[in-house]
Amino acid sequence: FTPVPAPPSGVAAAPPGPGAPPPGAGMPHVFTPQPPPPGMAAQPAPKPEPAQPAKPPPPPLPQRIQDADTSQVTGSNLIVVRTLHQLMERLLQTAPSPMEKRKLEDVSKRLGALLVKLNSNEVTPAVCDKLFHLCQALQAGDYRTATAIHVGLTTTDWAENGNWLVGLKRMIDSLSK
């Protein structure tokens, strides 16, 4: 490699030879914004859509199954409500330890959410039918059948009902002890 001497001061550099990059090649390109041509005004920014009125928040869920409004529940769903109330009372009266009572309070809150859904007719007829049969099994002390129905509900209807299904499972487990 032989270094090329710089041209003497005042002497112009020789033009690039063949195959040499053009002057300015490899240098970053700097964008300079230009005003729009005459007669072509810049477009104004689109106006934002008016905000939709916010939906009112849903009513708060009850603290416990005992506090849930069930005034609109009818038919076989009323039997479900009554059965769950009776079983919850029985469990709360026989809870042996503070830890068991805390667990049952959680169950009560979760089942309260179920009763709210039943009251507002937000549970599908198929799920209501399964709940009716599950409650019949619980009243009869048939925890195996109740568990089987519960497993069926968790595999087909978990997305909409997971919260209260957890509470129902814990109730079944507590009753079967």
Side-chain angles (χ1 to χ4, degrees):
F1 172 73
T2 311
V4 177
S9 177
V11 177
M27 300 298 290
H29 177 72
V30 178
F31 175 75
T32 307
Q34 300 294 320
M40 300 261 321
Q43 296 292 325
K47 294 181 182 177
E49 293 287 325
Q52 297 293 329
K55 292 181 182 178
L61 294 178
Q63 291 299 317
R64 305 173 308 150
I65 190 173
Q66 297 87 338
D67 302 328
D69 176 18
T70 57
S71 60
Q72 303 299 313
V73 178
T74 59
S76 62
N77 289 344
L78 197 52
I79 295 169
V80 169
V81 169
R82 288 182 183 147
T83 301
L84 293 176
H85 272 284
Q86 291 168 355
L87 295 172
M88 194 74 226
E89 282 303 314
R90 186 172 85 192
L91 287 171
L92 287 170
Q93 289 172 2
T94 60
S97 70
M99 187 170 79
E100 184 71 18
K101 286 183 181 183
R102 281 192 302 274
K103 177 179 157 185
L104 290 175
E105 280 299 315
D106 179 67
V107 169
S108 180
K109 290 176 186 178
R110 290 174 184 273
L111 293 181
L114 167 60
L115 299 191
V116 167
K117 285 187 166 203
L118 287 172
N119 194 56
S120 59
N121 204 26
E122 294 178 35
V123 181
T124 66
V127 171
C128 289
D129 186 54
K130 291 175 187 176
L131 279 172
F132 176 74
H133 289 95
L134 187 144
C135 285
Q136 284 183 320
L138 288 176
Q139 281 183 318
D142 185 357
Y143 304 117
R144 182 175 296 216
T145 299
T147 300
I149 294 169
H150 181 269
V151 168
L153 283 167
T154 59
T155 57
T156 59
D157 298 285
W158 181 262
E160 299 85 25
N161 306 304
N163 182 42
W164 61 259
L165 280 167
V166 169
L168 195 55
K169 173 64 174 154
R170 291 177 182 163
M171 175 182 262
I172 294 168
D173 290 347
S174 293
L175 289 166
S176 65
K177 288 181 183 176

